[in-house]
Amino acid sequence: MQHKVLILDFGSQYTQLIARRVRELNIYCEIFPFNSKNFNVENYKAVILSGSPFSVRSKEAPQPDLSKIKGKIPLLGVCFGAQFLAHNYGGRVAASNTREYGRANLSFVKSGELFFEGVSEASQVWMSHSDTIVQLPDNFELIASTHDVKNAAFKIKDETTFGIQFHPEVYHSTDGLKILENFLVKIANLEQTWTPDSFVDATVKKLKSKLGNDKVVLGLSGGVDSTVAATLLSKAIGDNLYCIFVNNGLLRKNEFKNVLDQYKGMGLNVKGVNASARFLKELEGAADPEQKRKIIGRVFIEVFDDEAHLISDVKWLAQGTIYPDVIESVSATGGPSATIKSHHNVGGLPDFMKLKIVEPLKMLFKDEVRRVGASLGIDAELLGRHPFPGPGLAIRILGDITAEKVSILQEVDAIFINGLKEWDLYKKVWQAGAILLPVNSVGVMGDERTYEKVVALRAVESTDGMTADWVNLPYAFLQKISNKIINDVKGVNRVVYDISSKPPATIEWE
């Protein structure tokens, strides 16, 4: 049996966070919908049941089959998972008089309980539920309470089965990671051996076995994911990896040259293809965001396919797909729904390319990709790069695309990004960029009236892009950057700063 954890998903917004916390403990885990047929319980040493937007009292509530799990391997129910155990094995769950949401503190912890070993007295936990366990089954033992929630944690006698009504995976549960460690390491006896180095060694070995002497083509974007994927593949198959970096004319200022120069020093077999004119011609007159995305995606496939045909006997297409792109989630009706995204440069390539797919990063989260990259010796500056949208500046130019607009936005973006670096703010921001608005505004330069373009600056902090908050950049910095943009970039006379969070806004404007 491998030393890994199975997380059964019931549709909770926190499920991926459980996995991230388990991985932080250097323990490998995988997420599957509760009703998936794509896993074998015998391959796991512990199981975690996630939370859920459902009530266990609802007819539509998920009904997992725990016959091969409960009482046989260590099991932890979190929130809905705990309530499911109580509700279905002889206890009683009822609606709370008040919704239990937010911070709480433990008021009772059973003395000598291994599950809570090392957890501070009155530890803060995070509640997020509208039901509560009002009565435990006869063979369940209470092991922790809060002031408002008596049955905050329990274990089943003579089993390594536990349940907690709070969320140990969220930041606000101050000893949450310790509780998970106690369950996984001290109770389930999992080994903490899943590290970036071990991942690299195991993945290179698998890639060598899988690919043999076959040729692989990979579309590089200059971003973290594709770069780490390329480095792993290069380590496994060397010059049989053919990397293609396409300039769609919508990259940042000087990025095509800078990225190619960076890759040269990494020993990768990279070909740069400047298709700027082709992309801009195809985009003429297109103003709708979705239409622009489709055009860029189609032209990229055409350019990439042309280049791939110049390489004889290519059998594999490599992609920098990561775990959040492929995790199946539970839909609002309780069934599994694929959430595979196609935002990668080579995502969703058509069947006519006749290539098999290899995705060396598909089980990693973004922060893990960066740690693996560091283990591979990839430059820290490259690993710390902000995410950049696949369609590039096309979705930061609202309305139609012209070469002049691209040039203006490249200059504005360069001033903003370089300014963040000069002021030591770049690493404090998750993603930043400039947006060219489809409006002109009146201005005054010298004694002349101007009627020129408006740009918006955007900087957000986030962990995974699912939610984001705007960054409170110093006024002195914004003032200097605004002045520099207006003075140095011909055609812009007004700069605004976007202070919208996601949700309700999105990170990009299109």
Side-chain angles (χ1 to χ4, degrees), residues 6 45-46 66 74 78 118 151 160-161 211 229 335 362 440 464:
L6 169 65
K45 286 201 69 174
L66 302 182
V78 175
N151 298 307
T160 50
T161 300
L211 302 174
K362 70 177 183 179
N440 284 18
D464 53 16

Side-chain angles (χ1 to χ4, degrees), residues 27-176:
I27 296 170
Y28 183 68
C29 63
E30 295 175 343
I31 300 172
F32 286 97
F34 70 92
N35 53 359
S36 173
K37 305 297 184 184
N38 295 327
F39 63 86
N40 183 349
V41 172
E42 294 177 358
N43 292 333
Y44 301 89
K45 286 201 69 174
V47 177
I48 298 176
L49 308 179
S50 83
S52 175
F54 293 95
S55 164
V56 295
R57 299 176 296 110
S58 167
K59 290 181 180 179
E60 290 77 34
Q63 296 293 325
D65 179 6
L66 302 182
S67 60
K68 295 181 180 179
I69 301 173
K70 182 181 170 294
K72 297 175 181 177
I73 59 176
L75 173 65
L76 172 62
V78 175
C79 197
F80 173 91
Q83 293 171 1
F84 178 85
L85 291 170
H87 179 73
N88 285 273
Y89 293 93
R92 190 163 66 90
V93 175
S96 304
N97 293 327
T98 58
R99 180 169 166 79
E100 293 162 347
Y101 183 87
R103 295 174 177 83
N105 293 91
L106 297 177
S107 58
F108 158 75
V109 175
K110 184 189 173 196
S111 177
E113 177 53 54
L114 186 60
F115 187 81
F116 286 108
E117 187 175 276
V119 175
S120 61
E121 200 170 323
S123 177
Q124 178 179 284
V125 295
W126 182 262
M127 296 287 186
S128 181
H129 54 92
S130 54
D131 286 350
T132 194
I133 301 169
V134 294
Q135 183 180 335
L136 291 173
D138 291 342
N139 62 329
F140 284 43
E141 183 180 357
L142 177 66
I143 58 175
S145 306
T146 68
H147 178 73
D148 294 319
V149 181
K150 179 183 177 183
N151 298 307
F154 61 77
K155 71 176 181 180
I156 299 181
K157 296 174 183 176
D158 302 320
E159 292 184 17
T160 50
T161 300
F162 297 80
I164 48 180
Q165 286 207 78
F166 55 87
H167 288 269
E169 68 273 22
V170 302
Y171 172 78
H172 304 87
S173 290
T174 51
D175 288 317

Side-chain angles (χ1 to χ4, degrees), residues 259-412:
V259 169
L260 282 176
D261 288 345
Q262 196 165 27
Y263 283 140
K264 281 180 186 175
M266 295 172 63
L268 293 175
N269 181 14
V270 182
K271 179 180 180 181
V273 180
N274 191 350
S276 301
R278 184 170 174 178
F279 278 88
L280 291 174
K281 186 176 186 303
E282 293 285 342
L283 284 165
E284 281 180 11
D288 177 74
E290 190 59 26
Q291 185 186 9
K292 289 190 287 187
R293 287 176 185 272
K294 286 180 178 178
I295 290 171
I296 292 166
R298 172 178 58 79
V299 177
F300 180 88
I301 289 170
E302 293 170 358
V303 173
F304 191 84
D305 190 41
D306 289 345
E307 294 300 323
H309 273 100
L310 298 178
I311 308 165
S312 61
D313 300 322
V314 172
K315 294 184 179 179
W316 296 86
L317 169 70
Q319 298 189 110
T321 310
I322 62 175
Y323 201 29
D325 304 330
V326 298
I327 292 174
E328 290 180 278
S329 65
V330 176
S331 70
T333 57
S337 59
T339 55
I340 298 173
K341 300 176 184 176
S342 58
H343 64 267
H344 295 284
N345 280 349
V346 290
L349 287 176
D351 292 339
F352 68 74
M353 291 197 72
K354 305 296 181 187
L355 296 175
K356 293 181 284 186
I357 302 294
V358 56
E359 298 168 312
L361 305 179
K362 70 177 183 179
M363 299 308 293
L364 297 185
F365 290 103
K366 189 77 170 187
D367 53 335
E368 293 171 331
V369 174
R370 287 194 168 99
R371 290 202 294 272
V372 167
S375 176
L376 288 164
I378 297 174
D379 185 79
E381 185 175 339
L382 195 155
L383 293 176
R385 287 191 66 187
H386 291 174
F388 188 66
L393 298 180
I395 59 169
R396 293 182 179 177
I397 297 172
L398 306 194
D400 67 317
I401 310 296
T402 66
E404 180 189 13
K405 290 180 181 179
V406 172
S407 178
I408 288 173
L409 190 56
Q410 284 177 331
E411 295 297 330
V412 172

